[in-house]
Amino acid sequence: MKISVIGCGYLGAVHAACMAKLGHDVVGIDVDERKIAALSEAKSPFYEPGLDDLLEEVQATGRLFFTTDMAAAAGCDVHFICVGTPQKKGENGADLSYVDAATSTLLPHLRPGNIVVGKSTVPVGTAARLAEWVRQVEPLTQMMWNPEFLREGHAVSDTLRPDRLVYGVEGGSEDHPAVTTLDAVYASPLDAGTPRLVTDLATAELVKAAANSFLATKISFVNAMAEVCEASGADVTQLADAIGLDDRIGRKFLNAGVGFGGGCLPKDIRAFMARAGELGADQALTFLREVDAINMRRRTRVVELTRELCDGTLLGKRITVLGAAFKPESDDVRDSPALSIAAQLQLQGAVVTVTDPKALANAAGRFPELHYELDTDKAVQRADALLLLTEWQQYRDLEPYALAELVGVPRILDGRNVLDAAKWRAAGWSYRGLGRP
Ligand code: UDX
């Protein structure tokens, strides 16, 4: 099929490359010339494992190209809208200006029988509004909502082998003509047995908001348990292992630590609360305010614990933060707990050095006042305390004996609970985890 993908960020660039991998002819369109220039040379504008290789592979087949010109969408059968929906400045709601701009620039290029498929995470009701708009311009065009569940760091495999496909169509019927077209787009994963659910537009939009809210709630639940463990001397990692063995609960997303960040979970739960408020259903989601509050409290707690670890004062203390990205295998620093903690420590008088294998350029763009060092050995030199805040494998593998020779004072705060506490203590370190004795 001929496919256009509008918006080439984390979602769109991966989607475009994966659709070409599935055998379709794809054009990726974005207003950002730098992004398009990089992608045209098979270089991902952000770090995503496997994406550069995939871009090179599919571009060599001639089935994928990138442009800033929306006219390239003309002649495509299916148009995916993959632009961002960030949090509005100073408000909780989602900023839909990119979705609206992408749709309005696409409208003149639509042809009868085309399908417009929204993938961006949007407040419930957006798809119906856009469907009406599209219909007024080209009555024979169908609008669908097909939410994306990919995780950064696993985006390629999550797109090629999703755990489910959700198609939102007007009326919610399997017989909707757009269902057959989208089945042809996803023929490969469907043949491989991927479950596919057809819903109405509102349900499809809500599936995404609900999934992210559930994940955020799971993380904040275990972080709330970490607070109680800290108060009572219990160990939250053992607690998570034990409750996780109940398969109604499950162990995934029960890792206590500095909490969730990134470009999705924090802004999605806030936009969901804002939308529920507009719909008069705000009471239903007041618990998400608590989920958000527990999450933000982790960051303050780490600052307090660092102060305790540094004999009661941060003034002039050399602190090295291991990790800047919001999670490993990503260079994304949007709402990163690690960077937010680093900035708070600096404000309270510490001398902070941040290291990360991939995210330093993005981090320096957001927090230019912090000091950055790529080389781990150099970054930890003479440090009064280390804070492991993003669990990159190379930090999990750090050798406590060798590292003790480089730092000023062997003290470490394990913000992700991934180190072997006994091993580090045996090597002479003062070790603190979160929610662990
Ligand atoms: C998330 C959803 O997982 C994905 O389905 C959706 O499409 C987009 O949002 P992503 O933002 O890539 O994906 O990150 P995810 O892997 O979900 O992690 C989110 C945050 O939670 C990270 O900061 C991570 O470190 C944190 N986390 C995750 C925990 O603190 N504890 C856990 O147990 C799991």
Side-chain angles (χ1 to χ4, degrees), residues 149-150 152 208 219 253-255 260-261 264 326-327 416:
F149 305 103
L150 62 79
E152 290 178 25
K208 178 62 189 268
I219 300 168
F253 268 67
L254 277 185
N255 295 321
F260 58 83
C264 292
F326 83 101
K327 68 174 192 181
R416 297 287 186 170

Side-chain angles (χ1 to χ4, degrees), residues 60 63 68 94 133 170 191 212 225 270 306 318 341 409 415 418:
R63 287 201 303 267
T68 53
W133 194 12
E170 285 181 302
D191 285 349
N212 276 359
M225 294 304 108
R270 291 171 196 156
T306 310
R318 299 169 64 94
I341 290 164
V409 189
V418 290

Side-chain angles (χ1 to χ4, degrees), residues 352-374:
V352 181
T353 297
V354 179
T355 184
D356 187 288
K358 297 288 178 193
L360 291 191
N362 287 343
R366 295 227 169 194
F367 290 94
E369 67 277 21
L370 294 171
H371 175 239
Y372 297 99
E373 170 57 60
L374 180 63

Side-chain angles (χ1 to χ4, degrees), residues 48 121 147-154 158 164 208 211-212 215-216 218-220 222-223 251-266 268 295 299 325-328 330 332 334-337 389-391 415-416:
E48 181 61 42
T121 302
E148 184 56 63
F149 305 103
L150 62 79
R151 298 159 298 165
E152 290 178 25
H154 304 269
D158 283 353
R164 79 283 210 194
K208 178 62 189 268
N212 276 359
L215 295 172
K218 215 172 166 188
I219 300 168
S220 277
V222 80
N223 280 329
R251 180 63 177 82
K252 287 181 187 162
F253 268 67
L254 277 185
N255 295 321
V258 294
F260 58 83
C264 292
L265 299 192
D268 286 351
N295 193 50
R299 303 179 185 190
F326 83 101
K327 68 174 192 181
S330 171
D332 193 349
R334 287 176 293 171
D335 211 344
S336 164
L389 301 186
T390 312
E391 68 278 33
R416 297 287 186 170

Side-chain angles (χ1 to χ4, degrees), residues 113-169:
N114 279 187
I115 297 185
V116 181
V117 188
K119 288 197 85 66
S120 309
T121 302
V122 291
V124 58
T126 307
R129 176 173 64 80
L130 296 181
E132 193 50 43
W133 194 12
V134 166
R135 199 174 8 250
Q136 278 167 15
V137 176
E138 179 46 81
L140 296 175
T141 300
Q142 307 287 345
M143 179 96 211
M144 300 182 72
W145 217 262
N146 169 223
E148 184 56 63
F149 305 103
L150 62 79
R151 298 159 298 165
E152 290 178 25
H154 304 269
V156 172
S157 56
D158 283 353
T159 308
L160 291 174
R161 291 177 291 280
D163 47 19
R164 79 283 210 194
L165 288 162
V166 176
Y167 300 181
V169 290

